[in-house]
Amino acid sequence: MRNNFDFSKRNGAGRGDIVLGVFALFLLYLLYSSGFFTAAAWQDFNRRFYQNFIKDRRYMMLVDGLKATLFMTSGATLIGLTVGLILSVIRVAYKGGAPIPVLNKLANTYITVLRGTPAMVQLLIWNFTIFASARNLNTQYIAILAFGLNSGAYVAEIFRGGIESIDPGQMEAARSLGLNYTDSMRFVILPQALKNVIPMLFNEFIAMLKETSVAGYIGIDDLTRAGQNIQALTLEHSQPLVMVAIIYLVIVLFLTHLVRKLEEWLSRGRR
Amino acid sequence: MAVIEVKDLHKTFIRQDGRILNVLNGISTEINKGEKIAVIGPSGSGKSTFLRCLNQMEEPTKGTVIFNGEDITAPGCDINRVRRKMGMVFQHFHLFPHLTVRKNLILSPVRHKLMTPDEAEVKAQELLARVGLADKIDEWPDRLSGGQKQRVAIARALAMNPEVLLFDEPTSALDPEMIGEVLDVMKELADSGMTMYLVTHEMGFAHKIADRVLFIDNGIISEQGTPDEVFDNPQKPRTKEFLSKVLHR
């Protein structure tokens, strides 16, 4: 799963770079012709930047929002991994002949329902129906539960795919050496399956980071909502949300970079 | 004395569409200590299924397999213990790609406490030298050629000190120029007195090393004998037809 987008190793500019360059020049021209680079415009930009982010330490609203976003993402991912692992083991074991038809049916239903409905609808149901009377509960925990259980259904499919992607011959070879089923799983199948799915689990984390942006709907001041809160204070329509988008993008790019490094590290020893 | 004794082995597969497939229709034979048996036959004749029934990779529908006097098809039999004495070499090698060659060889002996890690290490070096790959001990399987992989797979099977080695078409997935190096290793093994059961399409090699050749067709042993008898003077029309096709004569 090597990526083909490693610009650092490419010699010279490709066609994509030229298109991007032309596009950037065009944007610059537009900005220039609309007076963006005049001193007055620059002063106006600075004034609004001050209003939105510096005055009354409003940047702290974004920082706190980011904390809430990262907290929810991490918590939900942990729940998702746990639930997903349990679900996938149930399904693989059932397929392998374990007598657990009821558990398997439950797992299948869980996965179908949670993958077949929007995460945001699930979030609203958790908050306004299931936990409607739990007023003292921190809504962030409700969000973690909702996003985590939702993610579990996807992670289950990732794990199951990972285990099933391993050549059945691997299990046969392990068994032919006298290893029992559990040992074969533990020493031969799962290490390979896990290695295959780690990048996908990271991607699930990245998707979750963006997914939590709807948490504002149940009154959580996450990063997105923090941007809206600043908007409400300053009546400023663009800067806060663009800033929020930039913050998301920087984090996603950083995590994506980590996944690529991880993939390279994992594929060492492979041709 | 017979190491493996097979009595009236049947295997029936029930396919997903409900059709019943009779793959083995009553096979009885014995494999004696030190004997080399080559199994030939058309594809789909049941020769690989028969081999896989010997170490219970497939559960026979009917019949018994007796290994060193013990009925290993009996319900209470600890098949994992039996398999440690019956090495298996696969058509597609099935090395463990997440482990180095060294760890491929020592995983099972150490896990089963047949050897200490140090003993297993020494044994691994010795076996790799024997198959001509002493310098590959720290290599990853994916960096080896097909022939090298199969030689490592043979060494991995040998690491358990098996009494019998089962070869399931060990050269069928190899590029032609790599077949020789694997056959050389197998020849050396045969000369050293190993008991071998070999399913193969390499008729020349079967002729050279086998004590007995089985021709399996439609799930039964339709003809057997010494290589000279089966290859040079086949009795059944089906055997003649098969040999004329594979030997182009």
Side-chain angles (χ1 to χ4, degrees), chain A residues 39 123 226:
Chain A
L123 177 72

Side-chain angles (χ1 to χ4, degrees), chain A:
Chain A
M1 285 210 283
R2 286 280 167 87
N3 67 72
N4 298 316
F5 306 106
D6 195 346
F7 293 108
S8 64
K9 284 181 186 143
R10 241 168 52 182
N11 298 321
R15 192 192 295 168
D17 299 339
I18 294 168
V19 171
L20 267 180
V22 170
F23 185 66
L25 282 176
F26 179 67
L27 268 184
L28 280 175
Y29 171 74
L30 275 186
L31 287 171
Y32 173 76
S33 61
S34 60
F36 185 81
F37 294 113
T38 60
W42 186 238
Q43 265 175 8
D44 183 52
F45 181 87
N46 279 339
R47 187 185 52 77
R48 287 189 290 140
F49 191 89
Y50 177 81
Q51 283 278 323
N52 282 321
F53 305 119
I54 313 294
K55 197 182 171 207
D56 299 336
R57 288 160 47 96
R58 280 177 187 149
Y59 62 89
M60 281 311 289
M61 296 169 77
L62 292 179
V63 171
D64 290 339
L66 180 59
K67 275 186 199 159
T69 291
L70 291 178
F71 176 64
M72 286 188 293
T73 306
S74 310
T77 306
L78 279 182
I79 292 181
L81 283 180
T82 316
V83 172
L85 187 62
I86 294 170
L87 289 174
S88 64
V89 166
I90 289 174
R91 299 188 76 190
V92 170
Y94 176 74
K95 234 181 175 177
I100 45 170
V102 179
L103 265 182
N104 181 57
K105 191 81 199 155
L106 281 175
N108 280 343
T109 312
Y110 179 99
I111 292 170
T112 308
V113 171
L114 272 88
R115 293 210 313 169
T117 52
M120 191 177 128
V121 175
Q122 291 168 26
L123 177 72
L124 295 177
I125 289 176
W126 281 107
N127 188 58
F128 294 117
T129 306
I130 298 169
F131 285 113
S133 54
R135 295 208 186 123
N136 295 327
L137 194 63
N138 184 343
T139 42
Q140 284 197 21
Y141 292 114
I142 297 177
I144 285 178
L145 192 70
F147 289 126
L149 293 180
N150 176 259
S151 167
Y154 289 91
V155 173
E157 291 298 272
I158 294 176
F159 272 130
R160 189 175 65 96
I163 293 172
E164 287 178 353
S165 72
I166 306 299
D167 179 356
Q170 290 290 311
M171 180 56 100
E172 288 195 349
R175 298 305 304 273
S176 83
L177 290 167
L179 294 165
N180 61 30
Y181 182 83
T182 318
D183 275 0
S184 303
M185 268 288 169
R186 181 174 153 202
F187 294 110
V188 177
I189 306 298
L190 286 180
Q192 295 184 59
L194 201 63
K195 204 165 149 176
N196 287 351
V197 301
I198 281 175
M200 276 186 277
L201 293 178
F202 248 87
N203 285 336
E204 178 64 20
F205 181 83
I206 293 172
M208 179 76 75
L209 180 85
K210 291 179 284 179
E211 194 129 296
T212 56
S213 63
V214 297
Y217 278 92
I218 62 168
I220 295 169
D221 288 326
D222 73 317
L223 180 57
T224 306
R225 182 61 169 255
Q228 288 183 301
N229 289 344
I230 294 176
Q231 267 188 318
L233 285 176
T234 60
L235 303 178
E236 164 72 47
H237 61 275
S238 66
Q239 277 194 1
L241 286 183
V242 171
M243 183 61 90
V244 165
I246 290 172
I247 295 172
Y248 276 115
L249 185 64
V250 167
I251 296 173
V252 168
L253 286 179
F254 173 68
L255 289 175
T256 311
H257 175 75
L258 276 188
V259 177
R260 281 184 192 165
K261 286 283 161 215
L262 198 67
E263 277 180 1
E264 273 171 34
W265 182 75
L266 287 173
S267 63
R268 78 200 189 290
R270 298 295 180 106
R271 251 204 288 226

Side-chain angles (χ1 to χ4, degrees), chain B residues 7-188:
Chain B
K7 288 179 190 160
D8 193 32
L9 207 67
H10 290 256
K11 175 68 186 178
T12 305
F13 287 108
I14 297 169
R15 301 202 327 187
Q16 285 203 328
D17 57 11
R19 272 175 56 196
I20 291 173
L21 219 60
N22 294 312
V23 182
L24 299 180
N25 299 308
I27 289 189
S28 301
T29 190
E30 296 185 349
I31 302 172
N32 291 314
K33 193 159 177 50
E35 196 177 16
K36 293 107 187 75
I37 296 184
V39 183
I40 59 171
S43 62
S45 60
K47 53 193 194 304
S48 280
T49 305
F50 178 54
L51 179 141
R52 292 161 60 81
C53 282
L54 293 179
N55 66 350
Q56 303 289 295
M57 298 304 283
E58 300 286 355
E59 210 176 313
T61 316
K62 198 182 131 194
T64 50
V65 178
I66 294 167
F67 179 65
N68 281 336
E70 184 189 2
D71 180 0
I72 65 170
T73 37
C77 173
D78 178 5
I79 192 62
N80 295 317
R81 186 174 44 74
V82 174
R83 283 180 185 148
R84 285 166 213 165
K85 291 284 140 209
M86 272 203 230
M88 185 165 180
V89 176
F90 300 85
Q91 180 177 357
H92 294 285
F93 335 125
H94 299 324
L95 294 181
F96 305 135
H98 63 302
L99 302 175
T100 59
V101 167
R102 176 199 313 269
K103 289 194 174 149
N104 265 276
L105 263 65
I106 69 177
L107 170 66
S108 190
V110 171
R111 179 66 187 161
H112 294 125
K113 301 204 162 57
L114 303 178
M115 298 175 206
T116 67
D118 290 342
E119 286 166 4
E121 167 83 29
V122 172
K123 176 95 182 165
Q125 286 171 356
E126 195 182 294
L127 287 170
L128 286 173
R130 190 169 168 192
V131 300
L133 294 170
D135 56 329
K136 301 290 186 194
I137 190 159
D138 288 314
E139 197 55 273
W140 296 94
D142 285 356
R143 293 196 188 271
L144 301 175
S145 72
Q148 291 172 332
K149 280 182 196 173
Q150 193 60 299
R151 286 189 277 156
V152 171
I154 292 172
R156 180 177 67 178
L158 288 173
M160 301 294 289
N161 283 324
E163 293 178 29
V164 185
L165 269 187
L166 312 174
F167 291 89
D168 189 4
E169 302 194 24
T171 55
S172 299
L174 294 176
D175 288 338
E177 75 266 31
M178 291 172 181
I179 291 174
E181 62 191 67
V182 173
L183 293 183
D184 286 345
V185 167
M186 290 168 62
K187 176 78 171 65
E188 190 267 323

